[in-house]
Amino acid sequence: MAIDHNDIWLPTASYVERAQVTALARRLGVEGIEALYDLSLAEPERYWREVNDFCGIRWSRPYERYCDLSRGAPFPSWFIGGELNWVDTIIDNAEAAERPAIVAEREDGSVRTVTYRELAAEVRSFAAGLLGLGLKRGDRIGLLMENGIEASVSLLAIAYIGAIAVPLFSGFGADAIVARLQPCGARALIATSGFLRRGRFVSTASTLATVRAELPDLAFLILKGVAEDDAQAAPDVHDWHDLAAPGREAPPSARMSANDPFMVIFTSGTSGKPKGAVHVHGGFPIKIAHDAAVHFDVAAGDVFCWPADMGWIAGSLILGSALLRGATLVCYDGAPDFPDWSRMGRLIERHRVTHFGSAPTLIRGLAANEAVSISPDLSSLRLLITAGESIAPEHFIWFQRMFGRGACPLINYTGGTEVSGGLLSSVVTRPIVPAAMNTRSPGVALDVLSPAGTPVTGAVGELALLAPFVGMTASFWQDDARYLETYWNTVPGVWIHGDLAMRTEDGHFFLLGRSDDTIKVAGKRVGPAEVEEILVEIDGVVEAAVIGASDPVKGQAIVAFLTCDGAAADVRAVAAARIQERLGRPFAPRAVFVVPQLPKTRSSKIMRRVIRSVYSGDPTGDVSSLVNPEAIADIERIVRET
């Protein structure tokens, strides 16, 4: 899709002047994001001291040095000699005491609000309840709970006592939960008894019963909601609200080293067991506070909403982005189109949201239902965010123009579970090109490398991290070998992230999909996003996923999977012709399939790996993170019948 100059967002003088990134740069004596980025790499000690002060990070014992690399680049130690508990930065914020901290809206429309003072009291009470059970520093505690105040309090309280949270997607089945809690030896599970989805109550009773049967070392189940059977009324089952009852005396928060873990969060591997990324008190929270200021432009008093499940990295990222900056976090637990596609807009209108984030999949749904989705009053919005996967320019433009009224910047943000926050993103002080990111994140030494390991511009390459960075995982839980194999062994001393990207001459970056999704047709590499952007321009096409299938002549051939609305006619022929026309005859697809839905994770990432496995008849591997596993059977049937 050709991008018109009118589609490029240009910052006004007032945006530049009031931006958080401008204030940080001036404190460091530089002007502009380019100078700030250069300084962050040339003087990291100075940069991160200023970031800690600028973001109000509370240290109980000041650190002496920024970083120690004596164990090698894959295993840095951060903020040497320092002690902190990152939760203190949130709950000891006296300036924000009477400001709303969290506004939680449920699918049924009920709303509950807590101020920062009330949030601090709830965190301390629940922390005291956990300690009263005998849970302690270093214990792993699963968190299986729908988004809201209780989930937020639980995560903060776990870190408060020095324990380690293991977030779990609220829609996981028993096998997926066991596969994550068992390897880390979890002692407790904080869970919900159920939640509403599209007006229907989804019970977790049978799932929890299976988990407890398979994990005999799980000493405690802490349940939010009503126990549904006698098993849930057993002595080792405790009521969440009883543990959080006011009046419990909590000791001060646990004093933690900057390198002590507070979270193990699992990602799904393409095969075998999930990988448990370890995040530490002096890494993830500081990186998130930094990115919330630099990239999301969040300041005290802003209202931040980005609906996401607490079981994914986005849940912790969003909580930190709002609360570490003294903003109000608006949570929503429910379907984004229930009772109709105005739900997100009504959420923004009702709570006067200033910052709103959305995955590209949700943006496509909003765009396909434009008349309804933009009918609410969206005038409170000042900034939009998209993340989770690459986004087509037309959907980027629609979101910025229709939801953002053409005035709000749309920040494209990419990172991942293993890296906490952003590697590439945008800032509001530079022009923003649709679907692009206008800067590397300060503090992250990043480049785009060719297969030979040399930097490339104007061509597709691997996203590579050239040095350790604040926020990176400390390793995989008790699996250093797999961690090294995944990121560090391809190019010694360089983290190969597994994403395809392209840098333009003017310093913009485009994300083009996962490198293991790369399609190589007759020696020519093409990222799936490049083909998918062509397909979603076709009338009637809602979403597209493109894979590479083994081909005896070309090496690989393109196979496309589309979801369409009712108006799609002859779309398969149109799609095949359009790809050939735009990319050339060698890229003509072997097949185009129209399917009811594409398999996705809860964070709305399309799982091309699963589609590729189904098409080729290979095992699908770990599919526990899929929100719609029934899509697999649909694709199998359609491929077989076509």
Side-chain angles (χ1 to χ4, degrees), residues 314-397:
S316 302
L317 183 153
I318 292 159
L319 180 149
S321 294
L323 300 184
L324 286 166
R325 298 294 296 148
T328 297
L329 173 64
V330 175
C331 298
Y332 172 65
D333 166 38
D337 59 347
F338 186 84
D340 59 39
W341 278 99
S342 71
R343 187 63 188 254
M344 292 295 94
R346 298 294 176 201
L347 195 71
I348 293 165
E349 178 182 55
R350 188 157 39 246
H351 304 298
R352 306 307 296 161
V353 171
T354 58
H355 294 60
F356 182 73
S358 173
T361 295
L362 177 56
I363 293 171
R364 292 191 289 267
L366 295 167
N369 296 273
E370 178 180 307
V372 177
S373 68
I374 67 170
S375 60
D377 178 7
L378 306 175
S379 62
S380 63
L381 289 173
R382 292 207 325 269
L383 182 140
L384 299 169
I385 307 163
T386 186
E389 60 178 318
S390 56
I391 183 171
E394 58 267 31
H395 295 131
F396 188 102
I397 292 167

Side-chain angles (χ1 to χ4, degrees), residues 73-75 475-476 479-490:
F75 301 104
S475 186
F476 296 154
D479 199 348
D480 288 350
R482 192 179 184 198
Y483 163 63
L484 292 171
E485 179 185 359
T486 301
Y487 292 112
W488 293 96
N489 287 352
T490 303

